[in-house]
Amino acid sequence: MDSTKRDARVFELYEQLLDIEQRLIPTGLHVFGRPSSAGEQADLFRMIASFDRPEHGVRALPAELLDDAIGEFVSRGAKAATELVQRHGLEEEIARSLFALLENVRTKLQTNTEIDSLVRALRGEFIEPGPGADIIQNPDVLPTGRNTHAINPYSVPSAVAFARSELVATSLLERYRSENGRYPEAMALVLWGLDNIKTQGEGVAQALWLLGVRPVRDALNRTTSVAAMSLEELGRPRIDIVMTVSGIFRDLFSPTVQLLDKAVRLVAQLDEPPESNYVRKHVMEQIEQDACTLDEAAVRVFSNAPGNYGTNVNFMVMDSQWEREETLGDLFVTRKCFAYGRDSQGRAIEGREARLAMDHALSRVEATYQNIDTFEIGLTDVDHYFEYLGGVSKAVEKRARAKPAIYLSDSLSREVKIRSLEETVRLETRTKTLNPKWYEGMLKHGFRGVAEIENHVSNTFGWSATADAVDDWIYTEVANTFLFDESMLERLRDLNPHSAHALAQRLLEANGRGYWDADTEALAKLRDISRSLEDQLEGVA
Ligand code: BEZ
Ligand code: MG
């Protein structure tokens, strides 16, 4: 390796280390009804102060001032902190606005009416409404314990969400192009309800950008239509997209479902060459192949049957109730093959079974994608990412006869980051599951904390099952950290032997299904540990 290459490699490594070091992670669970501790509050202030907030007239504190300024704020108050940052050259007005915002957050964090509100809700009494979002994104979610109201779906996507999403869509396509030498003709997107509430529709806006259309407001300022950007303006082809929306999204964002469907149908009918408009290209091919109508060939928005939710892929994985991986993708399609939108006669399509249309649409997909918008909930925290993004990717693999490229965005950091699924699993594992700061934070919660650690490992396993996206070292290090370290094993055994046993079993399953190439010694040790935990659970030991 020559010295230029070596320097480039070292720099790449340095960037990866920074990525891991700077990643924000939750360090423990919220305890219902308990206000956050002083230490947690200081961390939160630091995070809130690291972002520009034009809506509050606030600019991010420079990194070198952050610790001192927040320390001063916590110990001596807003006035002293304002003076301190002014001495470092920050404008008075901006400093004042920032610490007024933090003071407001501090006051609201000290009151916690969660239990009282719950009791009142159970009595059927009125609960004051409040917005739902990530605290760092929108401190107005405080105080907690209010009735989270959603959003006006006609306001989605907001102007800010639409503007922010251009760069995400461009980066996503550039990432694919850098790896494949061309744009993907079709992508599958997952859209969730809560995420689009929190971001005022960033996921929706990204979908519109991929199609090359912009939202159009009517005389009542409601987003009810779309207009195509010109191909010159777009500077690239329009990408065909297959959208799977959650049941929650379908219920909360009914006008948005209509908007997305309308966007696809508009693009399908533009008089443009096939190499610049993959939606039209594929719709025309489908019409030719099946002698079907444009209405049938342009179905792209899918969800559950009315009244149903979820893919069940997570339950099938967690219960080990499957033999071949393709069953997981088939289950995804069975649950999600219901079309929503409106046909060319203006008739509503409200959850019409459209399995064949979904099979066809997925058969052209070359990349799958989901937007991640929060520091708190990532790929391994819940089973929903793998049930959706993993489920659709597995469904694509069989129908397109090739594994799709799988991407996630990180739209909360200041610069947009697109990562492959494998990169994201590694990052999540290093910053959460295997990070002592994270797991010690969990272990403080005793029984529940061990269950969380086991959940993370099982959710990671879900990415093996649906996408083969987990490196061997991850399982090896999980075994080393939690089960082969004797004092750690003792702690887990004392706090929650059920979850410790489940963890050992999951690792054995990972090996049994070919996801983890472990040596025979490790496997023997794991079986011993599993057996002894089982004895303990059965009261034999
Ligand atoms: C949603 O907000 O749409 C959602 C929430 C949890 C799991 C899946 C989807
Ligand atoms: Mg492997």
Side-chain angles (χ1 to χ4, degrees), residues 89-117:
L90 225 71
E91 289 160 55
E92 178 174 358
E93 185 129 348
I94 290 180
R96 240 187 247 286
S97 313
L98 170 65
F99 292 107
L101 171 68
L102 294 185
E103 194 57 64
N104 188 341
V105 169
R106 170 148 66 184
T107 311
K108 287 177 178 166
L109 280 173
Q110 278 157 358
T111 51
N112 187 308
T113 59
E114 289 168 3
I115 289 180
D116 185 48
S117 297

Side-chain angles (χ1 to χ4, degrees), residues 135-165:
I135 299 187
I136 301 164
Q137 270 176 358
N138 181 6
D140 290 339
V141 301
L142 296 170
T144 57
R146 290 186 293 170
N147 187 3
T148 307
H149 67 69
I151 199 163
N152 170 5
Y154 287 109
S155 70
V156 159
S158 70
V160 174
F162 190 70
R164 276 173 60 86
S165 297

Side-chain angles (χ1 to χ4, degrees), residues 191-195 246-249 384 387-388:
L191 292 170
W192 284 353
L194 298 177
D195 294 42
S246 69
I248 297 180
F249 186 102
H384 300 304
E387 68 155 323
Y388 273 86

Side-chain angles (χ1 to χ4, degrees), residues 172-186 237 239 278 281 364-366 407:
L172 177 60
L173 293 176
E174 283 311 317
R175 169 86 198 236
Y176 183 91
R177 203 158 76 128
S178 74
E179 289 170 334
N180 298 276
R182 59 174 178 81
Y183 291 111
E185 289 201 15
I239 312 300
Y278 296 136
K281 177 184 176 193
R364 301 188 195 92
V365 167
E366 297 176 304
Y407 298 115

Side-chain angles (χ1 to χ4, degrees), residues 51-64:
F51 287 89
D52 290 337
R53 296 178 190 279
E55 71 280 15
H56 291 102
V58 166
R59 250 196 327 242
L61 278 181
E64 65 278 8

Side-chain angles (χ1 to χ4, degrees), residues 336-348:
K336 287 284 176 185
C337 66
F338 297 84
Y340 288 81
R342 197 170 286 279
D343 68 15
S344 53
Q345 310 299 308
R347 287 175 300 226

Side-chain angles (χ1 to χ4, degrees), residues 533-541:
L533 284 161
E534 204 168 295
D535 288 349
Q536 181 183 341
L537 289 173
E538 288 172 358
V540 181

